[in-house]
Amino acid sequence: MADGKKKFRTVWNGNTKGNGRIEANNLETTIAISEGSGGSGEGTGPKELLVSSAAACYIMTLVAILETRNLPVVQLTMDSEASISKQEGFKIIHNPNIVLSAGATEEQIQTTNRAIQSADKGCAIGKMLKRADVQIDILGNVSVQSGQGV
């Protein structure tokens, strides 16, 4: 990792129906084997952790790009979903929704749309997943705040 070693501690309680915890500097989460795989399902599974990591990397990269370009962002939300199929393999879709302030120009809207695509190219986790044949699609939306708020 570029900023040094990160230490994680994982503790598991019980058998396949049990659960565990992963802890790191700023992370604490319960993990469990999914019910579909014979576990309790009472915790986050590996696929959710992987997609969460990809989503966090993408949105943090996007925020940095938006800030660097001094865009008038008033709200940023994102939905991500993952699917696995024999036809498409493992696929992640990020759908960022960016609301710009009421006075945003057409140029700022276009710059924001370009930033949505640039963040995909700049996300290190996404690049690693793509090298592992994970398909990542970005379906962003940019809107401008109305006079009444978001």
Side-chain angles (χ1 to χ4, degrees):
M1 293 183 195
D3 56 348
K5 290 183 181 180
K6 302 290 182 185
K7 295 204 179 218
F8 293 79
R9 178 165 175 83
T10 306
V11 177
W12 190 265
N13 302 301
N15 55 21
T16 56
K17 296 280 188 197
N19 64 25
R21 290 208 55 75
I22 294 179
E23 297 177 3
N25 289 347
N26 295 308
L27 171 70
E28 255 185 62
T29 192
T30 301
I31 58 172
I33 298 170
S34 71
E35 287 183 84
S37 295
S40 68
E42 295 177 2
T44 304
K47 290 179 192 114
E48 289 91 355
L49 287 170
L50 184 66
V51 174
S52 296
S53 178
C57 180
Y58 174 82
I59 202 162
M60 289 175 194
T61 304
L62 179 57
V63 166
I65 292 169
L66 295 170
E67 185 174 308
T68 299
R69 295 180 183 169
N70 292 319
L71 294 164
V73 176
V74 294
Q75 185 177 47
L76 170 57
T77 59
M78 186 172 78
D79 294 318
S80 295
E81 65 181 62
S83 61
I84 300 174
S85 71
K86 290 184 185 195
Q87 297 82 14
E88 293 186 337
F90 191 20
K91 180 178 182 178
I92 298 172
I93 300 171
H94 296 310
N95 191 359
N97 184 34
I98 301 171
V99 180
L100 300 177
S101 64
T105 65
E106 185 60 35
E107 181 179 342
Q108 289 171 321
I109 293 168
Q110 293 307 315
T111 300
T112 303
N113 277 311
R114 286 191 301 275
I116 287 170
Q117 297 309 314
S118 294
D120 181 45
K121 293 175 182 73
C123 171
I125 301 296
K127 286 193 256 188
M128 285 190 297
L129 290 172
K130 288 175 185 178
R131 284 196 297 267
D133 292 328
V134 174
Q135 180 181 339
I136 300 177
D137 293 336
I138 309 297
L139 305 173
N141 180 55
V142 179
S143 59
V144 176
Q145 184 180 40
S146 68
Q148 282 74 42
V150 179

